[in-house]
Amino acid sequence: MSPQILSLLFDSLLQTLWMVAVSGVLGTVIGTPIGLLLATTGRGELLQCWTFNRIGGVIINATRSTPFIILVVAIIPFTRLITGTSIGTNAAIVPLTVAAAPFIARIVEAAIRAVEPGLIEAAQAMGATPLQIIGRVLLPEALPAIVLGLTLAAVSLVGYSAMVGAVGGGGLGDLGIRYGYQRFLPDVMAAVVIVLILLVQLIQSLGEAIARRVNKRQITR
Amino acid sequence: MIELQQIEKRFSTRTTGDAVRALDGIDLTINAGEIFGIIGRSGAGKSTLLRVINMLERPTAGRVLVDGVDMARLNATDLRAARRHIGMIFQHFNLLSSRTVFANVALPLQLAGTPRAQIGARVAALLDLVGLTALRDRYPAELSGGQKQRVGIARALASGPKVLLCDEATSALDPETTRAILRLLADINAKLGLTIVLITHEMPVIREICHRVAVIEAGRIIEQGTVFDIFTRSESPITRSFIDQVMGRALPEHLQRLLRDQPQDGDQTVLRITFTGNTATDPVISMLSRTLGVDLNILHGQIDYIRDEPFGILVVATRADPSQRTAIEQFLTRNQLGLEVLGYVAANPVIAV
Ligand SMILES: Nc1ncnc2c1ncn2[C@@H]1O[C@H](COP(=O)(O)OP(=O)(O)OP(=O)(O)O)[C@@H](O)[C@H]1O
Ligand SMILES: [Mg+2]
C-alpha cells in the first residue's frame, strides 16, 4: 500500500472518530434528558405527564423507523441551517446526531426503567422529591446499564458514519467505497474493514471496562 | 401515635376492572413507644396497611393520623417532611447498589439537606449503633442479608424518626440472623423510645419482640390485644394456626391417631391443661394427684415464655371416673387453668407407639 493511501486511511480514521465522538456526545446530551423524561412521565410515575410521554414516544419512533440514508437526505435543509452547508464531515454530524439522540433516549429509558421499583419507594418513604429521586437514585443505579447502552450507540454510530460518505461526509466508509469499491483496490477495502473492526473492538472493550468499574453489584477489587 | 380510622383501600385491577378490596374498614390505634405487630397470611393486606401509614398507598376512605397529623390532607412538601419522621425498612432491604454502606445511611440526610460535616458524625454514630462501623466502605453486594438489614435499619433511623415501619423485615433472613435483627429492633425501641410497627407472617417474630398484636385477614382486623392474651386466649382458627407455628397445641401425630371420640371399656380420658401466667409455675400435677387422689399420665407437654411470662400446655391421660373428672375441672378452674377433653385412648397409649 502506498504511503499516500496510508495517509488517506489515517485521515479517514480521524474523520470517523471526529464524527462518532461529536455526534455521540451531542446525542447523549440531547438523548439522556429525553430518555429520563420518557421513563418517568408514564402513568403513575414520578413526573406523570401523559401528553409528553405519548408525543415524545411517537416522535422518537418516527425518527428511529426512518432509514438512516433517507434521514440524511430528508433533513438537508435543517443541516444547512445549522452548519451552513450540507456536505462535509461537520455537516454529516447533524444527521448522525439526529439519529443518535432518539436511540440513546430509548437506551436511557430502558436503563432507568430497569431500576428496582423498591428503591424508588424507599426514597419516597425518606421524603425525597422527584428530582432527588432521579439524581440520587435512578441515574446512579442505572449508570452501568447506561454505559453499556452508550457503547452500543457508539458502535452503531461507526456504522452510520460509513453511510454519510454519500453526502460527502468523508470517513472510513467513504474511503472504502471510493477506493476499495469504485477503483477496485481490494487491499484498501481490506485495510478499511480491518481498521473498522479494530475500532469497534476498542470501543466495545473500553465501554465494558467502564461499565464494570461503575457496576457495584459485582465488585472486583 | 398512629391512629387508623375506618381505613379502606380498593385496587382496581387493570384487566377486569374489578376492585380488589385490600383493606376493609381498619380501625387501629398504636401507642407511642410500643412495638406493634401485625400478622396475617399472604395477601391479607399487611403491606398495604403498612404503606397506608406513610401514604405510599393512599387509602380510598378513612383517616390516618400520625402524631396527630392527618396524613392524607398534607400537600406534597408537608408530606415529604412528615415522611422524614417515619422510617421504613423492607423485606428485600432496598439498598442502593451504587452506594457504600456509609453513603446509603447518609442518603436520607443528604435528601434533607443536612450539612456535610454533620452527616459524617451522624452516620458514624448510626453505624456504631447497628454494629457496622468496620464495614462502612463496603458495597451492598459485599454484605450478608443480616448486614444489609442493619444498613436498612441505620438508614431508616438516620433522619431521627419517631416511628419505624418494618415490612417483613426478617422474612429473607435465617432464624439466627432474624433473632439478632429483632434484638436490635427491641434495643432501639428501648433506647430511643421509637414506636415500631412490624408486619410479618411469622408468629415467632411477634412473640420475640412485640408488645401488642393485631391479626389481619382479608383486609380486616379479626383480633387484637397484648401478645400474651392473643397467645393464651385466642380461639379464632386463623390466629390459632399462627400460634401453632410456635406452640405445638396440636397433638403429635401418633397420639392423634390413637384418640377416639367415644370411650370404650377401660379407656383413659385425655385432657389438655393450659397454663398461663403465674399458674404455669405451680406444681399443679402433684397437687392434683395429692388432693384428688387421681393418677395422671403425661402424654405431651410444652412450656414457653412470652415476654418473660410462662405459658404452657400439658396433655394428660387419666382413669378418673366422671365424678373425679368434675372435681378435676373445679380444681383447675379454681387455679385459673384451662381444661379441655380431647378424647379417649386405650390404657397405656404411649407404650403402644
Ligand atoms: N397495586 C395493587 N394493585 C392491585 N391489587 C393489589 C395491589 N397491591 C396489593 N393488591 C392486592 O391487595 C391484597 C393485599 O395485598 P398485600 O400486598 O397488602 O398483602 P400482604 O398481606 O402484604 O401479603 P404478603 O404476605 O404476600 O406480602 C392482595 O389481594 C393483593 O393482590
Ligand atoms: Mg407484603
Side-chain angles (χ1 to χ4, degrees):
Chain A
M1 228 186 297
S2 70
Q4 216 182 341
I5 295 279
L6 270 184
S7 114
L8 216 53
L9 190 64
F10 184 70
D11 287 347
S12 300
L13 173 63
L14 285 186
Q15 285 170 346
T16 294
L17 286 178
W18 171 248
M19 287 189 288
V20 170
V22 176
S23 60
V25 168
L26 289 177
T28 306
V29 168
I30 299 166
T32 304
I34 297 176
L36 260 177
L37 288 175
L38 282 177
T40 51
T41 50
R43 196 201 300 271
E45 285 170 334
L46 281 182
L47 306 170
Q48 191 164 335
C49 175
W50 195 231
T51 13
F52 174 87
N53 200 274
R54 262 300 162 79
I55 295 174
V58 166
I59 292 176
I60 285 190
N61 288 344
T63 324
R64 293 203 54 213
S65 49
T66 311
F68 180 65
I69 197 70
I70 294 178
L71 184 78
V72 171
V73 179
I75 66 166
I76 281 179
F78 179 65
T79 306
R80 200 174 278 144
L81 183 75
I82 289 186
T83 60
T85 169
S86 62
I87 48 169
T89 308
N90 284 338
I93 286 174
V94 176
L96 283 173
T97 304
V98 170
F103 187 44
I104 291 173
R106 285 294 189 211
I107 284 168
V108 171
E109 180 191 5
I112 295 283
R113 282 193 192 280
V115 174
E116 226 189 292
L119 297 184
I120 301 175
E121 196 160 277
Q124 282 173 330
M126 288 172 210
T129 64
L131 282 182
Q132 285 177 322
I133 294 176
I134 290 172
R136 300 224 185 237
V137 178
L138 293 179
L139 276 177
E141 288 293 310
L143 193 58
I146 291 177
V147 170
L148 283 179
L150 290 181
T151 307
L152 180 69
V155 169
S156 305
L157 277 176
V158 171
Y160 283 167
S161 76
M163 280 189 253
V164 293
V167 290
L172 287 166
D174 190 31
L175 181 73
I177 296 286
R178 278 191 293 133
Y179 287 73
Y181 180 69
Q182 288 165 353
R183 297 188 195 175
F184 199 66
L185 296 172
D187 51 340
V188 176
M189 187 61 107
V192 164
V193 170
I194 288 171
V195 172
L196 279 174
I197 290 175
L198 290 178
L199 180 59
V200 167
Q201 281 295 339
L202 187 77
I203 293 174
Q204 190 65 37
S205 307
L206 202 69
E208 282 174 14
I210 297 174
R212 248 196 316 278
R213 287 215 49 175
V214 297
N215 185 358
K216 305 299 185 189
R217 257 167 266 165
Q218 287 157 342
I219 310 285
T220 39
R221 285 199 195 264
Chain B
M1 189 70 198
I2 299 171
E3 229 182 302
L4 303 180
Q5 298 169 353
Q6 281 300 310
I7 299 294
E8 190 179 285
K9 175 72 192 182
R10 278 186 223 173
F11 291 108
S12 48
T13 46
R14 227 165 285 180
T15 42
T16 59
D18 291 348
V20 178
R21 208 177 278 210
L23 298 176
D24 189 4
I26 301 270
D27 281 305
L28 211 55
T29 302
I30 297 167
N31 304 321
E34 77 177 334
I35 304 183
F36 193 94
I38 297 169
I39 190 166
R41 294 196 277 213
S42 187
K46 305 181 295 291
S47 297
T48 309
L49 179 57
L50 196 74
R51 292 153 50 82
V52 153
I53 296 176
N54 62 358
M55 292 288 132
L56 282 180
E57 213 74 80
R58 287 190 174 265
T60 30
R63 295 214 304 166
V64 180
L65 302 178
V66 178
D67 213 3
V69 176
D70 187 341
M71 297 291 284
R73 304 183 100 186
L74 297 176
N75 62 30
T77 315
D78 291 340
L79 177 60
R80 282 194 287 268
R83 280 175 173 168
R84 297 209 178 101
H85 298 296
I86 306 175
M88 193 168 193
I89 58 178
F90 305 87
Q91 177 173 5
H92 297 294
F93 323 122
N94 294 351
L95 302 179
L96 269 63
S97 68
S98 56
R99 287 179 169 238
T100 61
V101 167
F102 182 94
N104 262 290
V105 178
L107 178 61
L109 298 167
Q110 290 172 342
L111 294 177
T114 312
R116 239 162 187 272
Q118 284 175 35
I119 291 181
R122 176 103 185 102
V123 174
L126 286 162
L127 290 181
D128 188 43
L129 178 72
V130 300
L132 285 182
T133 305
L135 304 182
R136 54 177 277 156
D137 293 323
R138 293 240 194 134
Y139 286 93
E142 304 168 296
L143 301 177
S144 71
Q147 289 164 342
K148 283 184 203 166
Q149 198 55 291
R150 285 171 191 274
V151 179
I153 293 172
R155 181 178 71 175
L157 295 178
S159 54
K162 297 176 202 155
V163 175
L164 186 60
L165 307 177
C166 311
D167 189 346
E168 303 268 5
T170 57
S171 297
L173 305 174
D174 63 64
E176 202 146 313
T177 315
T178 293
R179 198 153 311 133
I181 292 294
L182 293 178
R183 284 293 97 206
L184 176 62
L185 288 176
D187 265 8
I188 288 166
N189 165 259
K191 250 188 235 168
L192 310 178
L194 209 66
T195 308
I196 298 182
V197 187
L198 185 151
I199 68 173
T200 181
H201 58 269
E202 297 170 327
M203 208 58 175
V205 169
I206 300 282
R207 183 189 59 178
E208 187 92 11
I209 63 165
C210 291
H211 303 131
R212 288 200 302 143
V213 60
V215 183
I216 182 171
E217 172 68 15
R220 296 166 191 262
I221 303 284
I222 55 170
E223 205 166 8
Q224 61 172 310
T226 67
V227 173
F228 191 79
D229 280 352
I230 293 287
F231 258 83
T232 53
R233 293 198 237 296
S234 171
E235 287 305 329
S236 132
I238 289 164
T239 312
R240 294 257 45 123
S241 74
F242 282 119
I243 294 172
D244 288 345
Q245 293 176 351
V246 186
M247 290 289 300
R249 223 176 84 116
L251 285 181
E253 212 171 305
H254 68 272
L255 264 180
Q256 193 72 54
R257 272 201 310 267
L258 296 170
L259 273 186
R260 40 185 174 243
D261 292 342
Q262 296 302 323
Q264 291 176 12
D265 253 5
D267 267 8
Q268 302 190 29
T269 313
V270 178
L271 305 173
R272 171 157 58 201
I273 303 171
T274 35
F275 309 68
T276 53
N278 323 331
T279 57
T281 46
D282 292 347
V284 182
I285 299 299
S286 60
M287 278 159 63
L288 254 179
S289 319
R290 224 173 320 128
T291 49
L292 301 178
V294 290
D295 285 330
L296 297 168
N297 181 7
I298 299 178
L299 302 181
H300 175 65
Q302 192 175 1
I303 188 151
D304 213 326
Y305 292 82
I306 298 164
R307 320 222 99 230
D308 301 331
E309 273 198 85
F311 150 54
I313 59 162
L314 207 50
V315 177
V316 298
T318 174
R319 283 180 205 288
D321 57 42
S323 70
Q324 279 175 313
R325 261 197 15 223
T326 318
I328 293 176
E329 215 173 310
Q330 283 166 353
F331 175 87
L332 292 175
T333 319
R334 216 166 36 242
N335 288 284
Q336 292 169 341
L337 296 157
L339 177 72
E340 242 176 299
V341 177
L342 296 180
Y344 305 88
V345 286
N348 288 334
V350 185
I351 296 169
V353 180

